[in-house]
Amino acid sequence: MSERRTARAAAEATARPPRRKRPFLVALLVTGGTLVAAATALAVAAAVFVGGLASSFDQRSDALADPFPAGSRPAASGTAENLLLVGSDSRAARDPDGDHAAGGRSDSLMLVHVPADRRHVYLMSILRDSWVDVPGHGRAKINAAYSWGGIPLTVQTVEQLLDVRIDHVAEIDFAGFQDVTDALGGVTVQSSEDFTARGHHFTRGTNHLDGEQALVFVRERYAFADADHTRVRNQQAFLRGVFQQVLSRGTLTNPGRLQDFVAATSEHVAVDAGFDARAIATLGWSLRGIRAHDLVTFTLPTAGGGTSPDGQSYVSLNELDRQDVSRALRSDDLQDWLAERDR
């Protein structure tokens, strides 16, 4: 290289500042800032969406007027919660079971117990023909309480039966489960036996139901030798299927499906004033670790049947088991009782 070219190259090197590579930390901060911004935008969008769902639920669902009985009631369960689900057939004239009782009867009764540790959700069915003491009316089938005194007497009867306080109550139109099923794109259930009812056939094992099939599945009783015993098992299987479908990725990541589900549910449910969208969201957040297999279903144990003096066929409850369930609910240790019972 000539002396002139060497001098020119040295001068350019002196005049031009050296190029510096962007430090890794700077790149990380830039990337992190972009992710935070994106996450913030998603959080805002999610909040708006969830807020819209909550508003939709509150606007569409009915509030039960004075659902809780007056007078003395069992003590509150602390941080555990007990919810009473009442499936009513108040549309008596259209009731496919043909029970045209004045005022309607409770077609299904389920107690949902949410323990303090939030590790499980327990759903206990109470057979509608269970022979119990209905306050102010003497011994009768438990579903008669709804006919005589609506939700308040039903709550009072269950509270007296189990000696536990009902924190919230929801009245569900079981016919609405047809809309709920379709909103979810169908529900998969496990049937304990083959049966045919009202033009639909169900096989033992796995069945994927559309709305019309689901309504038949949860309401049929005459196809079974043990009538309501299998029917409540089918209702439990259906709710387990709904629970699993709602928690599935296909529903949680599909805003349209979530909207349809909330709309279909709220159209067919009435809740106590304290169980609004905010309360439901709070309970739901506390159960965020729950998975489908954490839903435990069972039926309040029975001890055969009987006939009342006026000729009604009823189901007798197992008194020892009833007392044990009552104690387990009050002490919040249903899991121990179920484990002991299964041994």
Side-chain angles (χ1 to χ4, degrees), residues 139 161 301-303 316-325:
R139 304 287 289 179
L161 176 68
T302 60
S316 297
L317 294 177
N318 185 309
E319 182 58 21
L320 290 177
D321 278 330
R322 184 198 65 79
Q323 294 177 10
D324 287 343
V325 169

Side-chain angles (χ1 to χ4, degrees), residues 93 178 180 223 240 278 301 305 329:
Q178 178 168 342
V180 170
R240 192 180 300 111
R278 180 183 294 274
L329 285 167

Side-chain angles (χ1 to χ4, degrees), residues 207-323:
N207 296 260
H208 188 73
L209 310 181
D210 61 22
E212 183 178 342
Q213 293 168 326
L215 183 57
V216 173
F217 186 76
V218 300
R219 301 206 67 164
E220 180 58 31
R221 64 189 300 218
Y222 297 113
F224 314 120
D226 59 2
D228 263 1
H229 291 270
T230 296
R231 183 166 83 148
V232 299
R233 285 196 294 271
N234 286 348
Q235 291 172 353
Q236 293 166 0
F238 174 75
L239 290 178
R240 192 180 300 111
V242 169
F243 193 68
Q244 185 168 3
Q245 184 67 18
V246 170
L247 292 178
S248 71
R249 186 175 181 84
T251 298
L252 293 178
T253 61
N254 188 327
R257 180 165 290 177
L258 277 176
Q259 288 177 324
D260 290 344
F261 172 70
V262 170
T265 302
S266 54
E267 286 283 354
H268 300 284
V269 66
V271 296
D272 64 272
F275 203 47
D276 58 9
R278 180 183 294 274
I280 294 173
T282 299
L283 179 61
W285 177 252
S286 74
L287 292 168
R288 60 190 179 278
I290 290 291
R291 297 295 178 263
H293 63 267
D294 296 320
L295 176 65
V296 181
T297 61
F298 66 102
T299 302
L300 185 62
T302 60
T307 304
S308 67
D310 61 354
Q312 298 182 68
S313 296
Y314 61 79
V315 174
S316 297
L317 294 177
N318 185 309
E319 182 58 21
L320 290 177
D321 278 330
R322 184 198 65 79
Q323 294 177 10

Side-chain angles (χ1 to χ4, degrees), residues 89-223:
D89 59 5
S90 55
R91 309 157 314 285
R94 292 185 287 135
D95 177 19
D97 286 344
D99 186 357
H100 307 300
R105 291 181 182 269
S106 56
D107 191 47
S108 177
L109 276 178
M110 297 181 179
L111 180 76
V112 178
H113 178 74
V114 182
D117 63 15
R118 301 302 198 256
R119 293 183 178 179
H120 296 87
V121 173
Y122 300 93
L123 190 152
M124 181 181 74
S125 297
I126 305 174
L127 292 181
R128 68 178 193 171
D129 290 341
S130 299
W131 196 246
V132 302
D133 183 48
V134 178
H137 296 272
R139 304 287 289 179
K141 294 180 182 180
I142 197 169
N143 68 336
Y146 184 90
S147 177
W148 290 329
I151 294 295
L153 185 57
T154 302
V155 171
Q156 186 179 15
T157 301
V158 173
E159 287 188 336
Q160 178 177 279
L161 176 68
L162 299 174
D163 194 23
V164 293
R165 188 183 187 90
I166 301 300
D167 300 294
H168 294 294
V169 59
E171 183 178 10
I172 303 169
D173 176 0
F174 261 72
F177 278 16
Q178 178 168 342
D179 294 341
V180 170
T181 301
D182 288 335
L184 289 171
V187 170
T188 299
V189 302
Q190 297 294 324
S191 176
S192 60
E193 60 182 87
D194 291 284
F195 69 97
T196 299
R198 302 169 201 176
H200 297 281
H201 181 71
F202 305 91
T203 60
R204 181 178 181 179
T206 303
N207 296 260
H208 188 73
L209 310 181
D210 61 22
E212 183 178 342
Q213 293 168 326
L215 183 57
V216 173
F217 186 76
V218 300
R219 301 206 67 164
E220 180 58 31
R221 64 189 300 218
Y222 297 113

